[in-house]
Amino acid sequence: MRPFSYARATDAGSAIAMVASHGDGAFLAGGTTEIDLVRQNVLRPGLLVDINDLPLNRVEDLPGGGLRIGALARMSDVAQAGSVVARFPVIAQALLLGASAQLRNMASMGGNLCQRVRCSYYRDAASPCNKREPGSGCAALTGFNRGHAILGTSDRCIATHPSDVAVALAALDAVVHTRGPGGKRAIPVDDFFLLPGDTPEREHPLQHGELIVAIEVPATPVARQSIYLKFRDRESYEFALVSVAAAMRVRDGIIAEVRLALGGVGTKPWRARRAEQSLLGAPAEEASFAEAASRELAPATPRPLNAFKVELAQRAIVRALTTLTNGETR
Ligand SMILES: Cc1cc2nc3c(=O)[nH]c(=O)nc-3n(C[C@H](O)[C@H](O)[C@H](O)COP(=O)(O)OP(=O)(O)OC[C@H]3O[C@@H](n4cnc5c(N)ncnc54)[C@H](O)[C@@H]3O)c2cc1C
Ligand code: SF4
């Protein structure tokens, strides 16, 4: 048993002040990541500040067609929101393909972005893990790394980022809005997730006590034709081996606009910019999709156990773009 204190905040200012003033304080939203890791002795907060009473659970339309999602909005509520389903189906699909119905009812959007990696060595306090204990080594480099990343890796960490909805948000250029001891910030989602490099223990640029208050998705008309495909070892309640968030507009057979991001293969939700560049102006046909996928995956650094992800990601990209071209819905 490891004792910790619990406090329930009534407003954002006091939540931030409480966490900021305790070196080992942390926010508690749905608890589906935090409490698991406390139980496993991986996280050891001295104070948990419950933020569930803060008025941050709304999903609002922004003037001009954007969306503002409160940090405490539950995954299930966001997935069902009319404007999300109609205008950003890729977000709704990514959410519904994550976790289980019970978890989605508890899990918040802010907590989803801050969830920790699913690398089994990270969760096993007896294994070396640079993310849990900087400088201790990375057991996954030579261990069981079938589910690990092939893009954005370093010799310090190869864990994939586990979030599904973050992949959709990366494709849509969403922005994370925060409030902290230093004031307010707006962080583009692509900058919010950090590559492991030499500091895998830093997964995002949040300062201690900085609270995510909302996620804004800019108006993105192309997102009406969007899709999230997820490939995993079993059909539900499982993290992605490979996933694809895609949106595309085709005019006269030519790709006029495209958004593409990958999950399950990168150490962060992976915006596939090389593929996007390759696709723009190309005929909307399988050869273009395959070429774009190859370009995106060219820098991949697979290991013997996860080399299959290169081919799987290649096929997944082609499948997603073909499905959009054919106007099929999932
Ligand atoms: C069995 C299982 C299967 C899962 N499968 C999937 C899946 O397939 N796809 C997927 O995407 N996810 C999956 N998840 C992860 C799940 O979506 C996350 O656990 C959940 O979204 C976290 O939200 P929460 O509100 O419970 O966060 P918490 O557990 O309360 O918090 C998580 C972290 O975020 C911090 N935090 C929370 N809110 C804020 C905030 N507003 N500002 C700053 N920091 C904050 C906390 O301090 C903590 O460090 C799975 C989880 C489990 C347990
Ligand atoms: S891959 Fe990352 S999380 Fe997993 S053991 Fe290595 S350093 Fe830790």
Side-chain angles (χ1 to χ4, degrees), residues 4-6 26-45 47-50 52 103 106 115-116 118 123:
F4 61 84
S5 304
Y6 169 88
F27 297 116
L28 179 68
T32 61
T33 286
E34 186 71 22
I35 297 299
D36 263 10
L37 291 173
V38 170
R39 283 202 191 107
Q40 287 172 289
N41 211 17
V42 172
L43 297 181
R44 300 170 185 179
L47 170 68
L48 281 181
V49 177
D50 190 330
N52 284 291
L103 281 161
M106 285 296 291
Q115 65 175 291
R116 309 308 296 268
R118 308 304 293 196
R123 284 163 190 261

Side-chain angles (χ1 to χ4, degrees), residues 117 119 121-122 128-131 137-140 148 156-159 200:
V117 295
C119 172
Y121 302 108
Y122 171 75
C129 170
N130 288 323
K131 200 179 271 296
C138 171
H148 286 67
R156 304 288 173 92
C157 180
I158 58 170

Side-chain angles (χ1 to χ4, degrees), residues 277-302:
Q277 276 171 9
S278 166
L279 288 164
L280 266 184
E285 60 190 29
E286 187 170 333
S288 310
F289 307 155
E291 170 64 19
S294 300
R295 288 197 192 182
E296 191 63 46
L297 296 164
T301 49

Side-chain angles (χ1 to χ4, degrees), residues 171 255 258-261 271-281 292 296:
I255 300 166
V258 64
R259 302 293 185 90
L260 198 65
R271 180 72 180 267
R273 295 190 191 278
R274 287 170 181 241
E276 288 180 355
Q277 276 171 9
S278 166
L279 288 164
L280 266 184
E296 191 63 46

Side-chain angles (χ1 to χ4, degrees), residues 233-279:
D233 279 333
R234 56 183 178 191
E235 194 42 42
S236 76
Y237 203 32
E238 186 57 278
F239 290 88
L241 289 169
V242 170
S243 67
V244 182
M248 188 166 69
R249 184 166 59 84
V250 176
R251 197 171 48 216
D252 300 331
I254 300 297
I255 300 166
E257 197 176 352
V258 64
R259 302 293 185 90
L260 198 65
L262 306 175
V265 290
T267 49
K268 61 185 266 185
W270 197 260
R271 180 72 180 267
R273 295 190 191 278
R274 287 170 181 241
E276 288 180 355
Q277 276 171 9
S278 166
L279 288 164

Side-chain angles (χ1 to χ4, degrees), residues 77-188:
D77 292 335
V78 179
Q80 288 167 23
S83 47
V84 176
V85 174
R87 302 208 309 270
F88 303 96
V90 66
I91 294 179
Q93 292 169 19
L95 286 166
L96 291 175
L97 288 170
S100 65
Q102 291 92 337
L103 281 161
R104 292 193 295 269
N105 287 339
M106 285 296 291
S108 68
M109 292 294 287
N112 188 296
L113 299 190
C114 294
Q115 65 175 291
R116 309 308 296 268
V117 295
R118 308 304 293 196
C119 172
S120 54
Y121 302 108
Y122 171 75
R123 284 163 190 261
D124 167 18
S127 295
C129 170
N130 288 323
K131 200 179 271 296
R132 179 172 27 77
E133 201 178 326
S136 62
C138 171
L141 288 175
T142 52
F144 188 69
N145 48 34
R146 179 173 179 277
H148 286 67
I150 55 174
L151 292 167
T153 58
S154 78
D155 60 1
R156 304 288 173 92
C157 180
I158 58 170
T160 51
H161 194 276
S163 169
D164 287 297
V165 73
V167 180
L169 295 172
L172 299 176
D173 288 327
V175 176
V176 179
H177 289 262
T178 70
R179 194 177 146 187
K184 295 180 178 179
R185 286 206 287 169
I187 309 168

Side-chain angles (χ1 to χ4, degrees), residues 196-216:
D198 291 336
T199 52
E201 69 279 10
R202 286 200 72 222
E203 295 180 338
H204 47 65
L206 293 180
Q207 291 160 3
H208 185 65
E210 192 169 357
L211 178 75
I212 299 175
V213 292
I215 301 154
E216 285 191 6

